[in-house]
Amino acid sequence: MPDLSQITCIEDLRVIAQSRVPRMFYDYADSGAWTEGTYRANEADFHKIKLRQRVAVNMEGRSTRSTMIGQEVAMPVAIAPTGLTGMQHADGEILGARAAKAFGVPFTLSTMSICSLEDIAESTDRHPFWFQLYVMRDREFIERLIERAKAANVSALQLTLDLQILGQRHKDIKNGLTAPPKPTLKNLINLATKPRWCLGMLGTKRRSFGNIVGHAKGVGDLSSLSSWTAEQFDPALSWADVEWIKKLWGGPLILKGIMDVEDARLAASSGADALIVSNHGGRQLDGAPSSIEALPAIAEAVGTEIEVWMDGGIRSGQDVLKARALGARGTLIGRSFLYALGAFGEAGVTRALQIIQKELDITMAFCGRTQIDEVDSSILLPGTF
């Protein structure tokens, strides 16, 4: 394990990841749709929210431990599902799952991961993890994917609702994003500056979409994958499909991509266990509000009918605390996780979780609280949220 004691914030990890990860994959993680206005707002809107500092309060016996859908967690943070994670660092999903297991937070594997469901189960001794599902036109593939998730000891299914069609991300088009990268002159020149990444990739067999290649009909090699995914995301997704998947899965169900009070009420009435206030990291509808801005009204609307979580823009423990104060039972980190992974692999992910937990713990104490489950909007300065 490298000594990462001088890495003190997520921004440190982002800078190092930018230097180590090939441009197309760094840009894939660090970008949003169209003008990227919503992507930037996700992070910036946290800074507008101010905390009430309290003094002469007994700060002993602090704990960040909580639960997310009944599962005990070291802090109310889970690793979000991110596509192409194994292109940020060789075997990236495996490394992230190992770090999450050791730290005591949930890990979510994406449908569009490089490492497969079976890879994660095997590499973590079948430790429970979460799986994120995209709804495809090929319903037989979805049925098989859910059965594979059950066999891999997945403990909760995260159904993403906000990617029926793909938002345009200018950087991905300009970079010619593929997994693995095509051997163009531009890519080869860039890869020559990333020897650490290249060596890692030479040492693994996992370089394409492990949940899809060899499992979906008509996808036996890399050349057919891009056309398959373009054709398969289902624009006709409806609440009836949510009900179908809920019955097919039979376990805890989380609905990701809720940004509107009306949709939140529908999510609560669907019988799902949790919803995630999320604008897909600003990668879908540019011009939508930030997740933290949308959170309070949604949390108020559904009350205790369904557990409310949020993701988007979390770069610190203070962000986690603010989200918790505004009604989020749990939070998810995507880019913070990817920066850490791209910078230092598994050790980087562990360091990111340490940074977030320490900042959450200390900030909570300064706000006069010792238990994360006691935090509410009274820790925030009125008029700033």
Side-chain angles (χ1 to χ4, degrees):
M1 292 282 286
D3 179 11
L4 301 184
S5 59
Q6 297 301 306
I7 303 296
T8 60
C9 59
I10 300 300
E11 176 63 11
D12 289 347
L13 294 164
R14 186 199 67 77
V15 171
I16 295 169
Q18 188 173 23
S19 71
R20 292 186 171 182
V21 178
R23 180 175 177 176
M24 71 166 60
F25 298 123
Y26 175 81
D27 281 354
Y28 172 77
D30 196 33
S31 64
W34 286 318
T35 70
E36 299 190 336
T38 296
Y39 160 51
R40 291 191 297 273
N42 272 350
E43 188 174 350
D45 284 358
F46 272 107
H47 301 308
K48 301 173 185 177
I49 303 166
K50 303 303 178 186
L51 300 160
R52 292 177 62 204
Q53 182 173 345
R54 306 300 302 277
V55 297
V57 176
N58 186 345
M59 296 180 180
E60 295 176 312
R62 298 189 305 278
S63 175
T64 63
R65 297 196 67 81
S66 187
T67 61
M68 294 173 72
I69 55 169
Q71 179 177 333
E72 290 196 6
V73 292
M75 58 178 169
V77 174
I79 292 180
T82 53
L84 294 166
T85 301
M87 287 289 128
Q88 301 292 327
H89 190 288
D91 297 335
E93 292 91 353
I94 290 172
L95 302 183
R98 284 176 177 168
K101 174 186 176 182
F103 202 88
V105 297
F107 172 82
T108 317
L109 184 72
S110 169
T111 293
M112 306 306 294
S113 61
I114 301 300
C115 301
S116 68
L117 283 155
E118 293 79 10
D119 289 332
I120 303 304
E122 182 181 350
S123 301
T124 60
D125 297 321
R126 295 184 53 78
H127 183 74
F129 63 103
W130 297 346
F131 181 61
Q132 173 270 335
L133 182 70
Y134 285 123
V135 178
M136 308 291 188
R137 295 177 193 266
D138 185 346
R139 293 301 198 257
E140 288 184 17
F141 172 71
I142 292 296
E143 291 176 5
R144 292 195 302 273
L145 201 53
I146 289 175
E147 288 305 312
R148 288 170 59 202
K150 291 177 182 178
N153 202 28
V154 166
S155 57
L157 192 69
Q158 234 178 77
L159 178 59
T160 294
L161 299 176
D162 63 354
L163 211 144
Q164 292 165 269
I165 57 174
L166 192 64
Q168 180 166 311
R169 303 147 196 177
H170 297 330
K171 291 176 183 174
D172 291 350
I173 295 171
K174 289 180 168 65
N175 289 332
L177 180 70
T178 59
K182 291 179 180 177
T184 63
L185 179 61
K186 179 182 176 182
N187 288 342
L188 291 172
I189 291 171
N190 184 245
L191 289 173
T193 67
K194 317 293 180 186
R196 183 189 299 259
W197 184 92
C198 292
L199 284 172
M201 284 297 164
L202 286 172
T204 182
K205 61 184 178 181
R206 303 175 183 93
R207 302 190 191 99
S208 189
F209 296 96
N211 289 323
I212 298 172
V213 174
H215 297 281
K217 290 179 181 177
V219 186
D221 57 39
L222 304 180
S223 62
S224 60
L225 183 63
S226 59
S227 60
W228 181 84
T229 52
E231 293 167 0
Q232 278 298 323
F233 284 101
D234 193 353
L237 172 66
S238 71
W239 289 100
D241 294 309
V242 174
E243 180 62 23
W244 172 69
I245 287 169
K246 183 176 184 294
K247 289 179 179 177
L248 193 64
W249 166 242
L253 180 66
I254 303 152
L255 302 181
K256 185 173 183 287
I258 304 297
M259 287 293 292
D260 184 86
V261 166
E262 188 174 346
D263 287 337
R265 292 193 177 108
L266 289 168
S269 65
S270 75
D273 298 272
L275 67 82
I276 305 175
V277 178
S278 171
N279 53 35
H280 215 100
R283 297 163 64 77
Q284 285 295 88
L285 176 60
D286 189 37
S290 67
S291 295
I292 194 64
E293 184 181 356
L295 171 64
I298 289 173
E300 183 178 1
V302 299
T304 58
E305 295 177 64
I306 186 172
E307 215 163 281
V308 175
W309 306 343
M310 69 82 63
D311 83 348
I314 292 176
R315 305 289 186 270
S316 69
Q318 289 202 341
D319 295 340
V320 174
L321 188 70
K322 290 172 181 178
R324 185 77 184 219
L326 291 176
R329 177 78 195 177
T331 62
L332 293 92
I333 55 169
R335 289 186 176 94
S336 292
F337 157 61
L338 292 178
Y339 298 150
L341 180 69
F344 294 107
E346 184 175 348
V349 179
T350 298
R351 185 58 181 155
L353 293 170
Q354 290 170 344
I355 288 168
I356 290 170
Q357 186 181 42
K358 183 177 181 180
E359 193 163 301
L360 172 61
D361 173 64
I362 291 174
T363 305
M364 180 175 69
F366 281 139
C367 292
R369 299 289 191 278
T370 58
Q371 305 296 315
I372 191 65
D373 286 344
E374 296 174 356
V375 168
D376 58 23
S377 61
S378 65
I379 72 162
L380 305 177
L381 192 66
T384 67
F385 62 95

